[in-house]
Amino acid sequence: MKILVVNAGSSSMKFTLFSMDKEQVLAKGLIERLGTDKPNMIYKRPDGYSSEAVIKVANHVEALKAICEKLVDPQTGVIRKMSEIEAFGHRVVHGGERATRPVLVSDSVKEIIRDCFALAPLHNPANLAGIEACEVNFPGVPNVAVFDTAFHQTMPPQAYLYALPYELYTKYGIRRYGFHGTSHNFVARATGAFLGTPFEKLKLITCHLGNGCSMAAIDNGTVIDTTMGMTPLEGLVMGTRCGDLDPAVVLRLLEIGKTPKEIDHLLNKESGLLGVGGINSFDMRDIIAAEKRGDQQALRARRMFTRRVVKYIGGYYALLGGADAVVFTGGIGEWSSFAREKILVKLTGLGILLDKEANDKALGKPGLISLPESKCKVLVMPTDEELMIARSVVETLNSHAE
């Protein structure tokens, strides 16, 4: 079965074509700068071939058509005809409380996505546009929506509710939803396979650390807490997002003359490592390089980042009543042995003991980085959200057929 995974943004469309018989990537890429006069298409194959060119497309429908033309191109394509694609998988950021698993797209599912526009105004409209582009170009071919929020919907009320008047939840859906669910789901299952134990029998703390950062406490296959909230702004210090914040800070910003739009931009785009680091970069590699040069502001930013992670690992360890493993994934989690070390040396009180040599070698590949005598295992586990979406498509179609 060949599945095209689509991740449609407001000005972009990412794609990955899988052959699911061997879970093989056939081609991937993206069209960026949609809506401008110079949309750019990047196309890559596993054999090393790649191309990049400005193309003429005006919207998601035309972008998908251009992608498909590339996939069947006699010179650069990877399939002979588009009918070889048997289904589409779509990343959808927000599914609210009604989307608790991947689902075959129908009118009612599209209504769920629309109902969450207010909760994810930058993402859900674009995600729906990607689905509708597939429906226009490929009528009758099934589309499966995989929601970032779905994996976290096992949280109990005491975890997802805010201590606000209950009516704000019942009327307006103000609660913690959590994000990065597809990534947390993938690495939890991959960790179970790595350890030889089904993830449904493990207590895990999964740490997705990249430009966006989140953590999840997973108890025997169910999420009992996660760091992101009603939006992806809550929780850890991130590349440009502030994470946890006293709500009164927002009130103070209003008092000094900031508009809601300005505050939204400040908290989401100008804060985090970028706002604190003082080097005009949100890239952890740049922050660490500046720290090693003796830059005190960069040092402060990195310490804030790792301290927040340590704080949540400790809290989740207590909530779970101990953990079988702490798992690092994402750009920083997979590739920064320095950041991992700075986090883990603060956790010896939990009996977590780092194998420094293993940590230095575990870059972008699965690996155990704790010592044998460590009370809790620590792993690096690369994430693959596109593959998780493709697997979800296969499972959903098989379930629907049954």
Side-chain angles (χ1 to χ4, degrees), residues 4 13-17 25-32 40-55 63-80 82 85:
L4 186 62
M13 180 174 278
K14 297 179 183 179
F15 65 93
T16 306
L17 179 64
V25 174
L26 301 179
K28 64 180 180 179
L30 77 153
I31 295 177
E32 57 189 351
N40 187 56
M41 182 175 187
I42 299 169
Y43 176 82
K44 297 179 179 180
R45 295 190 316 228
D47 61 4
Y49 172 84
S50 65
S51 66
E52 184 171 350
V54 174
I55 59 174
L64 181 67
K65 186 177 180 181
I67 290 166
C68 294
E69 289 172 353
K70 194 73 173 177
L71 292 173
V72 298
D73 184 276
Q75 303 300 318
T76 61
V78 292
I79 54 177
R80 288 181 296 174
M82 290 313 302
I85 297 177

Side-chain angles (χ1 to χ4, degrees), residues 102-312:
V103 289
L104 194 63
V105 172
S106 63
D107 287 342
S108 60
V109 170
K110 288 193 283 186
E111 194 59 37
I112 290 172
I113 297 170
R114 289 190 190 94
D115 288 346
C116 293
F117 277 9
L119 295 170
L122 298 179
H123 297 93
N124 269 39
N127 301 155
L128 182 58
I131 291 171
E132 292 179 335
C134 291
E135 290 177 332
V136 169
N137 283 286
F138 296 91
V141 177
N143 291 272
V144 173
V146 181
F147 298 87
D148 278 6
T149 50
F151 186 57
H152 301 299
Q153 296 313 299
T154 54
M155 285 190 294
Q158 61 267 30
Y160 68 69
L161 287 173
Y162 292 115
L164 295 168
Y166 193 67
E167 184 181 34
L168 293 175
Y169 162 62
T170 57
K171 273 193 172 183
Y172 305 106
I174 295 176
R175 53 157 283 180
R176 175 177 288 108
Y177 292 97
F179 299 87
H180 290 154
T182 304
S183 176
H184 289 288
N185 191 1
F186 180 89
V187 298
R189 292 172 184 275
T191 296
F194 185 91
L195 297 176
T197 304
F199 93 111
E200 294 91 349
K201 295 183 178 181
L202 293 171
K203 293 177 180 288
L204 301 173
I205 300 170
T206 51
C207 310
H208 179 113
L209 307 180
N211 181 36
C213 299
S214 67
M215 289 170 50
I218 303 171
D219 189 359
N220 297 322
T222 63
V223 176
I224 63 167
D225 205 279
T226 190
T227 55
M228 285 180 167
M230 188 181 77
T231 76
L233 185 58
E234 188 181 359
L236 304 176
V237 174
M238 306 180 218
T240 63
R241 299 178 194 140
C242 61
D244 290 343
L245 190 75
D246 181 348
V249 172
V250 176
L251 302 179
R252 180 60 181 149
L253 291 172
L254 288 167
E255 287 175 353
I256 64 176
K258 296 284 187 182
T259 67
K261 188 174 182 180
E262 288 172 337
I263 294 171
D264 179 76
H265 190 269
L266 184 151
L267 299 181
N268 280 287
K269 301 293 185 182
E270 298 176 345
S271 299
L273 295 176
L274 177 65
V276 178
I279 61 170
N280 197 32
S281 175
F282 58 80
D283 193 310
M284 180 59 83
R285 292 168 294 187
D286 297 334
I287 295 290
I288 290 172
E291 174 185 346
K292 290 181 176 180
R293 292 194 303 268
D295 188 304
Q296 293 302 299
Q297 194 67 16
L299 171 63
R300 185 176 294 116
R302 196 274 303 156
R303 282 178 170 170
M304 289 175 66
F305 176 91
T306 53
R307 185 179 190 276
R308 191 76 59 86
V309 177
V310 168
K311 178 180 173 182
Y312 269 107

